[in-house]
Amino acid sequence: LKLSSLRLPLKNARGLSLRLSNDEMAARKLTVAMVLALSASHASAFVANFAVSNSFAAFMGMNPIRKVVTLLQQMQEQIETEGKKEKELYDKFMCYCKTSGGELDASVEAAEQKIEATEAALKGSTERKAQTEADLKEHQSSRAEAEDTMATATALREKAASEFSQEEADLKTNIAALAKAVDALEKGAAGAFLQTTAANLVRSFAMEKANLPDSTRQELLSFLSGSQGEGYAPQSGDITGILKQLGDEMTKNLGDATETEDTAIANYEALMSAKKKEVGTLQAQIEVEMERIGRLGMEIAEFGNDIEDTQEALAADEKFKSELETSCKTKTGEWEEIKKTRSEELLALSETITVLNDDDALELFKKTLPGASSSLMQVQVTVALQKARAL
């Protein structure tokens, strides 16, 4: 195609002869050159496919201008078809960006809320565990104190029981000895009594334990030692009265000691009953608290692991979200560039087709070309290439 021939006269709508200016002619040359340059890949693919099509023979018989226009129109359709496909793919990708971005936002928000809730639960469990450990320590201390109190009370009770047992035995022995002494004096057998073991017991009691005035104690000891002789008259003497008085006092002391012992035993039993209940209650609390501490320890460990896992998942989601946003922005930029390039290609093709479809251009080419059989493009297709394309 000799673009310089476009300088030949054209007719306007009124039938007047016009000549294109140098600028207009340069613009048309540039338009055609752009189409051929920008669409080289489309043209080569199209020509190769078209060469083996059923309409190839009809195409070869067309007017040269119509051949170019047909090629350009089909290139235009191909570009538009490819554009639609790429637009569908781009829309799907952007839909994925939007959908995945929303899902990632929801996932990140859920992870952040879960971490916050789990940290709160972890804090609560840690505080409860610390409080339970303090309660356990206090209850263990109280149980130890109660057990110490029981042990001390038992030791004191055993000691008091032993002392009472000894005192009771001494009092009963002395009471029995005094009763024998009184009975012997009343029967006039004082001399025989003084030779008995009972007399020795009464003598020891009078010397060590009896609460008597010194004169009375001296008189009693004189009798018991036998220094008053056989002429002592028991019915008129004071010795019998002294012995009876001592016997009454001992009996009263025995009763008081027995009553005191009974009261001590009752107090001890009440104390032991109360302390055993206290220890039982404390033991039950201690067991519950130990179980609670173990359970809280497991909860704390689980919460810690859960927080760590969620933080890792959150970091992965945030990283993927950032990468996705970057990829989507990059793809958007690339798509805008592709749209711009395709728009320029389609515009150039459209303008060229318009120029070539002009009636004046057709007349111009008829006058310029040597014959109807001449072609703007020489396409040579071998039989082998046709077979290869057909396969």
Side-chain angles (χ1 to χ4, degrees):
L1 172 61
K2 298 181 180 179
L3 297 180
S4 60
S5 62
L6 291 177
R7 295 172 185 240
L8 294 176
L10 299 177
K11 292 182 181 180
N12 62 6
R14 295 182 180 179
L16 299 177
S17 296
L18 297 175
R19 182 178 296 277
L20 294 175
S21 66
N22 292 334
D23 292 339
E24 291 173 336
M25 184 56 62
R28 294 199 176 190
K29 289 180 180 180
L30 179 59
T31 299
V32 174
M34 286 178 60
V35 171
L36 297 176
L38 292 172
S39 304
S41 60
H42 296 289
S44 61
F46 170 74
V47 169
N49 292 326
F50 186 73
V52 296
S53 67
N54 294 330
S55 60
F56 178 70
F59 173 78
M60 295 302 295
M62 286 183 183
N63 180 283
I65 299 301
R66 178 52 52 193
K67 293 179 182 179
V68 173
V69 171
T70 301
L71 283 173
L72 294 178
Q73 286 175 340
Q74 295 195 10
M75 289 171 61
Q76 190 178 37
E77 291 177 1
Q78 183 178 355
I79 291 173
E80 290 175 349
T81 301
E82 292 177 355
K84 290 179 181 179
K85 292 180 180 179
E86 291 180 356
K87 179 67 166 57
E88 290 178 0
L89 293 175
Y90 172 74
D91 289 342
K92 289 181 180 179
F93 182 78
M94 294 311 295
C95 179
Y96 170 75
C97 287
K98 184 181 296 184
T99 304
S100 299
E103 292 176 352
L104 284 172
D105 288 338
S107 178
V108 168
E109 183 178 358
E112 290 174 345
Q113 291 177 353
K114 182 178 180 181
I115 289 173
E116 182 179 356
T118 307
E119 286 177 344
L122 175 61
K123 181 180 178 182
S125 296
T126 302
E127 291 174 351
R128 288 195 299 273
K129 183 173 181 287
Q131 182 60 48
T132 304
E133 288 174 342
D135 294 340
L136 174 62
K137 185 177 181 180
E138 180 181 353
H139 292 152
Q140 287 175 332
S141 177
S142 298
R143 182 186 63 181
E145 290 178 1
E147 290 173 345
D148 288 343
T149 299
M150 291 171 65
T152 300
T154 299
L156 292 174
R157 177 86 287 278
E158 291 174 352
K159 181 180 179 183
S162 177
E163 291 175 351
F164 170 75
S165 178
Q166 183 63 42
E167 182 182 9
E168 181 185 37
D170 291 344
L171 286 173
K172 286 182 177 180
T173 299
N174 291 331
I175 290 171
L178 288 172
K180 288 180 181 180
V182 170
D183 184 63
L185 291 175
E186 288 178 347
K187 291 180 179 180
F193 170 73
L194 294 176
Q195 304 300 319
T196 62
T197 304
N200 292 330
L201 291 174
V202 173
R203 185 182 302 111
S204 297
F205 176 74
M207 291 177 62
E208 299 173 1
K209 299 180 181 180
N211 185 16
L212 297 172
D214 290 342
S215 58
T216 302
R217 186 190 308 279
Q218 187 62 39
E219 182 180 1
L220 179 59
L221 290 175
S222 296
F223 165 72
L224 292 173
S225 63
S227 59
Q228 293 183 353
E230 295 292 333
Y232 175 74
Q235 289 82 2
S236 60
D238 296 330
I239 300 301
T240 302
I242 294 172
L243 294 176
K244 287 182 177 181
Q245 182 181 356
L246 289 175
D248 293 340
E249 290 179 356
M250 285 188 177
T251 301
K252 182 178 181 303
N253 291 338
L254 178 60
D256 292 342
T258 301
E259 183 179 357
T260 301
E261 177 66 8
D262 292 341
T263 301
I265 291 173
N267 292 337
Y268 168 76
E269 291 177 349
L271 175 64
M272 293 300 291
S273 177
K275 288 299 178 182
K276 285 180 180 179
K277 289 181 180 179
E278 181 182 354
V279 169
T281 301
L282 290 170
Q283 181 63 32
Q285 290 177 329
I286 288 170
E287 291 175 358
V288 171
E289 288 162 352
M290 291 180 69
E291 186 274 334
R292 185 182 305 157
I293 289 172
R295 177 171 51 80
L296 288 172
M298 292 180 62
E299 283 185 3
I300 290 170
E302 290 175 356
F303 286 146
N305 292 334
D306 197 8
I307 290 173
E308 183 178 353
D309 293 342
T310 307
Q311 286 175 338
E312 291 178 357
L314 175 60
D317 286 345
E318 289 177 337
K319 181 181 178 182
F320 182 66
K321 179 183 176 183
S322 176
E323 293 175 349
L324 181 63
E325 290 175 350
T326 301
S327 178
C328 292
K329 289 179 181 178
T330 302
K331 181 59 69 176
T332 299
E334 292 175 352
W335 174 245
E336 292 300 326
E337 185 64 26
I338 290 172
K339 284 200 304 182
K340 180 181 177 183
T341 303
R342 182 177 293 108
S343 222
E344 291 174 351
E345 289 179 351
L346 290 174
L347 178 59
L349 286 169
S350 178
E351 290 179 350
T352 303
I353 291 171
T354 300
V355 171
L356 295 177
N357 280 334
D358 189 89
D359 292 339
D360 293 333
L362 179 58
E363 292 298 327
L364 174 63
F365 276 102
K366 285 181 179 180
K367 294 177 181 180
T368 304
L369 295 175
S373 61
S374 299
S375 176
L376 290 173
M377 299 179 66
Q378 296 298 325
V379 180
Q380 294 181 354
V381 181
T382 66
V383 175
L385 179 58
Q386 293 183 26
K387 291 182 179 180
R389 291 294 185 183
L391 294 174

